[in-house]
Each structure stands twice: as C-alpha cells, then as structure tokens.
Amino acid sequence: MLDRLDLLVIGECVADIVRLPGAADRIHPGGSPANVAYGLARLGHDATLLTQLGPDTNGQLIRDHLAGAGVDVRTDGSTAPTPSAAVTLDGAGHAAYTFEITWTLGPVSPDRPPAHVHTGSIAAVTEPGAATVRSAVESLRAVATVSYDPNVRPELMGDHEAAVRKAEFCVALSDVVKASDEDLEWLYPGQAPEKVAERWLATGPAVVLVTRGGDGAFAVLPDGQVTVGALPTEVVDTVGAGDAFMSGTLHALAAHGLLGAAGREGLRSLDRATVTDVLRHAAAAAAVTVSRAGANPPDSAELAAALGRM
C-alpha cells in the first residue's frame, strides 16, 4: 500500500492578492497546481512542483510558503515576473479573479521518475508553456498515474474551441480527472455535468469526479455514479477549495494503493465503497479549506478531525 506518495505536480504558482471591501489587500501564495502540491505535502507526501517563479518579492513569498510544507520546488530558470491574480471576495466569500499571467515553462526533467503526475489549470492551456506540460505528461505516463483538473479561468482560456481540445487531450491522458460543475458549464454550455463526465470517462480515465460546491460532489465510474454531500461548515472564502479536494482525492487514492504504475490496474476496477471513501476525504479537505482564509488545506490531523464530523 502506498501511504507516502512521490508526486510530481506541473503547473503555475500565482500570488493571490485578496481584496475585501473596506480592508487592506492581503497576498496569499496560490495557483491551483501549487496549492495541490502544498496540500499533498501537508498530508505527508513527497511532493515536487515543477513551475516558474520570478526573482521578485512574490516569488520568494511563494517559494518560502511551499518549502515550509516540504514541497521540493523546481523551476526552469525563467526571470519573468511571478504571476499574480487579484481575488475579489463578495459577501458570501465567493471569489472573482483578475490575472497577470505569463507561462513559458521550458523543459525540465525530474531527478527521479514520480509515482504520480498531476497537472491542470492555466498551465495546461496557456502557450507556450502548455506544450511543455502536455509533452511531459505524455512521456511520464508510462511510469506514473496521471491526474488532471481543468480549473477553468475564463479570462485566460483563449479561444473556446482550442481550450476544449486541450482539455479533452489532457482528460484522455489521465487516470483521474476532477472538475467543478462551473468548469464543465464553461467548456460545454448547457450540457448536464453528469453527461459530460460520462463522455470524458469513455475517453480513458478510470474515474471522473465533479464538485458542486455546497451541494457536494459525485464520481462517475463505468458502472454508475457515487455521490457524497458537502461537510457543513462556516465559509470564510472558497479560494483553494477545489485544490484541497484534489489533494484529498490523491491522498485517499494513495492510501488505498491506487496510485503509481502498479496501482493503475486497481484504479480500473474501483469499487463503490472505495470511491465513497475517496470522496469523503476530498470533501472533508475542501471543508477545512473554506473555513479559513486563503488556500490553506488541512494537515493529516485536521483532515482526520473533519472526517470524524462527516
């Protein structure tokens, strides 16, 4: 059983500049892939993040934040400014984003083959770096399982048809796919998320997970659907909730011995009880994160405590 995962995350870091009415700006380390790597390290896994960070104050802030959790940060040596996003929160804690992003990731080889590779978000669609990401995932898939989260940011997706093609390419390469209902609505307007998930499942993944905010989440398997409710909690803000859900998912799959090349066969024959357990871990991780400011996922003790309340 894999209870400590050697995981490679490929994707962007972003300095989230959080703006609340009547308050001074707060800067939080962010970026969906970076948040996933941070969440996995907090849960005890060996997480390496392949990314870009500028030689600026925000870059150092993010590097220190990730290293503090134990993430091994690898960059391609780019001197471009660290990407940033202004995050405006409404009275209900929901986030709206304005981005200043450059993504030009060049080839960087990991020191050792990972057991699992995760990618998604801006990194998988923004050129020219997205081509590097897709090539890396293709080359590593023979030795590692793969997960993908489109984490759609409409302002940065570019041409809609091209974005859909890139997302579908990544879906087909992946063993585990997670998306929000909002992601799917942007990619396929007016189509039921259950139907989109079923169609994605038919292209290659072993499981497709769909989050629905306060309405919980569901997983689509070849033999049907598994649903869990959200853990009731007071929402402070929703920044990083989906990323915590993703790291919780991978943590639970690792505990079941279902990640890494040796776990791929087991992923292809998931039973409903295992998927329910995975969804519970993911939902609990997300609930802890939304209960406090910023992308602040749980450690193992906090996750266990949240699970005890489900």
Side-chain angles (χ1 to χ4, degrees), residues 5-11 33 36 40 46 48 50 110 112-120 132-149 170 173-177 246 250 259-261 264:
L5 179 67
D6 183 5
L7 181 142
L8 174 66
V9 180
I10 308 175
V36 173
L40 280 155
D46 293 323
T48 298
L50 174 54
R112 59 188 185 276
H116 184 83
V117 181
H118 174 76
T119 193
T132 300
V133 173
R134 294 191 297 271
S135 176
V137 172
E138 281 189 287
S139 66
L140 290 168
R141 195 179 187 283
V143 297
T145 43
V146 175
S147 58
Y148 169 66
D149 176 4
C170 292
L173 281 178
S174 300
D175 300 285
V176 179
V177 175
M246 187 76 247
L250 296 177
L259 295 182
R264 182 170 277 135

Side-chain angles (χ1 to χ4, degrees), residues 10 16 29 39 62 74 86 102 128 152 186-187 190 198 209 249 268 291:
I10 308 175
D16 288 335
I62 293 172
R74 303 296 178 92
T102 300
V152 168
W186 188 88
L187 290 165
E198 290 171 2
L209 313 174
T249 294
R268 298 289 157 179
S291 72

Side-chain angles (χ1 to χ4, degrees), residues 182-309:
E182 293 178 347
D183 293 335
L184 299 184
E185 175 61 26
W186 188 88
L187 290 165
Y188 308 100
Q191 298 186 34
E194 294 86 353
K195 295 300 182 184
V196 175
E198 290 171 2
R199 192 164 68 246
W200 276 6
L201 187 74
T203 68
V207 61
V208 177
L209 313 174
V210 179
T211 61
R212 288 181 148 170
D215 293 327
F218 66 86
V220 172
L221 300 165
D223 67 347
Q225 184 174 309
V226 178
T227 302
V228 298
L231 175 64
T233 191
E234 182 178 351
V235 176
V236 173
D237 75 51
T238 60
V239 175
D243 306 322
F245 187 98
M246 187 76 247
S247 58
T249 294
L250 296 177
H251 174 69
L253 288 171
H256 285 283
L258 295 170
L259 295 182
R264 182 170 277 135
E265 183 176 350
L267 268 177
R268 298 289 157 179
S269 55
L270 279 171
D271 60 78
R272 300 174 74 85
T274 299
V275 174
T276 299
D277 183 63
V278 170
L279 286 172
R280 290 180 69 255
H281 278 76
V288 173
T289 301
V290 302
S291 72
R292 51 201 189 191
N296 188 1
D299 61 20
S300 296
E302 291 170 329
L303 180 60
L307 284 166
R309 300 196 301 273

Side-chain angles (χ1 to χ4, degrees), residues 20 206 240:
L20 289 166

